[in-house]
Amino acid sequence: MKVFNIYKISLSLVLLATPLCIFPLRILAQTPNPKQPAVIINSGSTNTCKYRIELLPSGKATYTVCNRKSAGEIKVDTATKFFNDISAAKPLSKLPYKPCARSVSFGTSTQVRYQGQISQDISCPSNDLRVTNLYEDTKSIQQELNFSTSKN
């Protein structure tokens, strides 16, 4: 009789503890790796240089624009929002894409890469808030890094 009760108690404890073990793993899976950058790639156009930004969750960034490399830092809040929006948008390759008309001289495309995933062009207007948020984040990041894409 006592063996049965110990078995029931042990089983109950395992069943109760399992969600407690899984929940932190889910949070950990969504936490950005502090050493793995997200990459923003902008195609440039006839009148503007292409650029590439590698951003860490800390806000530290390296970027190449007009074939010149540089480094900078953005606000941690901006970086946190960007990485949260990436997590909300995963898998990036499955984000909806709707082509849009572009000026040959000024039209560009923007993609985000993270953890082996790459988005379609996120610069076209979208009804999907995940796409819009990511694109707004990329514009904020470029503005905070304060570099020009002008070909002068």
Side-chain angles (χ1 to χ4, degrees), residues 44-61:
S45 67
T46 303
N47 294 328
T48 61
C49 293
K50 65 182 178 178
Y51 65 84
R52 175 187 173 98
I53 301 169
E54 292 188 17
L55 180 69
L56 293 171
S58 66
K60 292 186 181 187

Side-chain angles (χ1 to χ4, degrees), residues 4 13 18-20 22-23 28 33-34 44 55 68 79-80 119 132 134:
F4 181 70
L13 289 174
T18 300
L20 298 175
I22 293 172
F23 184 70
L28 186 61
N33 180 337
L55 180 69
R68 289 187 300 270
T80 299
S119 71
T132 303
L134 276 179

Side-chain angles (χ1 to χ4, degrees), residues 9 18 24 55-57 59 74-75 85 97 115 117 119 130 138:
I9 291 169
T18 300
L55 180 69
L56 293 171
I74 65 167
K75 293 181 250 175
D85 289 341
Y97 171 67
Q115 295 180 332
Q117 300 178 34
S119 71
R130 298 170 303 163
T138 65

Side-chain angles (χ1 to χ4, degrees), residues 107-127:
T108 66
S109 66
T110 303
Q111 294 177 303
V112 174
R113 292 183 184 177
Y114 187 61
Q115 295 180 332
Q117 300 178 34
I118 186 164
S119 71
Q120 297 278 347
D121 179 16
I122 59 171
S123 64
C124 290
S126 176
N127 292 331

Side-chain angles (χ1 to χ4, degrees), residues 27-135:
I27 291 172
L28 186 61
Q30 294 174 355
T31 304
N33 180 337
K35 295 181 181 177
Q36 184 174 22
V39 180
I40 300 166
I41 302 161
N42 181 280
S43 67
S45 67
T46 303
N47 294 328
T48 61
C49 293
K50 65 182 178 178
Y51 65 84
R52 175 187 173 98
I53 301 169
E54 292 188 17
L55 180 69
L56 293 171
S58 66
K60 292 186 181 187
T62 57
Y63 56 93
T64 304
V65 60
C66 299
N67 294 318
R68 289 187 300 270
K69 292 185 179 189
S70 194
E73 197 163 342
I74 65 167
K75 293 181 250 175
V76 173
D77 290 349
T78 305
T80 299
K81 182 179 181 319
F82 180 53
F83 280 92
N84 286 341
D85 289 341
I86 288 173
S87 289
K90 286 182 178 178
L92 295 175
S93 62
K94 300 288 186 192
L95 284 172
Y97 171 67
K98 189 172 172 185
C100 58
R102 302 175 200 276
S103 160
V104 174
S105 298
F106 298 102
T108 66
S109 66
T110 303
Q111 294 177 303
V112 174
R113 292 183 184 177
Y114 187 61
Q115 295 180 332
Q117 300 178 34
I118 186 164
S119 71
Q120 297 278 347
D121 179 16
I122 59 171
S123 64
C124 290
S126 176
N127 292 331
D128 192 305
L129 196 56
R130 298 170 303 163
V131 175
T132 303
N133 287 343
L134 276 179
Y135 184 59

